[in-house]
Amino acid sequence: MGRQNRSRKRRDEMNKIKKARYDAKELIRLKKTLGLLDADGNEIMKDIADVVEIKTSKEIKRDAKTREQQELIYEHQESLEKGQKVKVTNEKTGVEHVFNSKTLKDQYGNYPAWFKKKKTAKRLRKKQHSQTKNFKQAWTTVNVPL
């Protein structure tokens, strides 16, 4: 046996009435929190455009894309820049190391003694990530026939 539709219909009607009433209350509450209404319920500002800048989802996505592109361009420019060479002699061994101020590596490819291993790994991860961010495989699932 099936359910009776009559009770479900009545319940839906009552829920619509409740929803309309709660929506009106919620709108008043939101306006009060934004400062569009005073304590008495009188409207202070008629235009919400004075308070909020409204953007569509396309505009937000476009801004995010341009921000990402700017970050990639900045990282690429940083990678192209060459640092200054700084000469440091080791007091114990007397060997002269020529460090690059940008990469912090010496002529042998080693980091200085005070440089932390975790920080080194983090720098390498960031460098690899910036290099592979634009990279797209030719055989991704989009191109694979089913």
Side-chain angles (χ1 to χ4, degrees):
M1 288 191 140
R3 282 198 225 156
Q4 292 177 352
N5 288 335
R6 186 173 176 200
S7 61
R8 187 181 307 150
K9 286 179 186 174
R10 281 191 188 153
R11 199 165 50 239
D12 287 346
E13 286 175 18
M14 295 305 291
N15 285 341
K16 283 180 188 175
I17 294 168
K18 270 197 232 173
K19 189 175 186 304
R21 191 173 69 224
Y22 290 145
D23 283 348
K25 285 183 180 179
E26 188 177 359
L27 183 64
I28 291 170
R29 195 178 309 127
L30 285 172
K31 283 185 177 180
K32 280 185 182 176
T33 55
L34 285 174
L36 300 177
L37 293 178
D38 58 356
D40 301 330
N42 301 327
E43 286 195 28
I44 298 170
M45 282 188 257
K46 298 275 184 186
D47 246 348
I48 199 156
D50 299 338
V51 179
V52 181
E53 181 182 333
I54 300 168
K55 287 187 176 182
T56 62
S57 60
K58 287 183 181 178
E59 290 173 348
I60 293 170
K61 286 178 185 175
R62 194 179 310 123
D63 291 345
K65 273 189 180 179
T66 56
R67 201 174 306 119
E68 282 181 17
Q69 288 173 349
Q70 287 172 353
E71 287 175 7
L72 282 173
I73 291 168
Y74 178 73
E75 287 175 4
H76 184 67
Q77 286 174 350
E78 265 191 346
S79 66
L80 293 177
E81 288 176 5
K82 295 180 179 176
Q84 299 171 351
K85 299 196 183 251
V86 180
K87 292 182 181 179
V88 178
T89 55
N90 192 342
E91 296 172 2
K92 293 180 182 175
T93 59
V95 179
E96 187 175 275
H97 294 275
V98 181
F99 288 100
N100 187 342
S101 65
K102 185 184 181 317
T103 60
L104 298 176
K105 290 183 181 180
D106 63 357
Q107 72 268 30
Y108 307 114
N110 298 326
Y111 287 98
W114 52 265
F115 204 76
K116 308 286 187 271
K117 289 182 181 180
K118 281 186 178 180
K119 201 169 190 176
T120 317
K122 187 176 180 182
R123 284 176 67 91
L124 287 173
R125 281 196 306 270
K126 282 182 81 172
K127 184 178 176 186
Q128 288 171 354
H129 179 70
S130 68
Q131 288 172 349
T132 60
K133 197 161 188 173
N134 311 20
F135 182 73
K136 291 183 179 164
Q137 283 284 349
W139 50 268
T140 55
T141 55
V142 177
N143 298 330
V144 174
L146 296 175

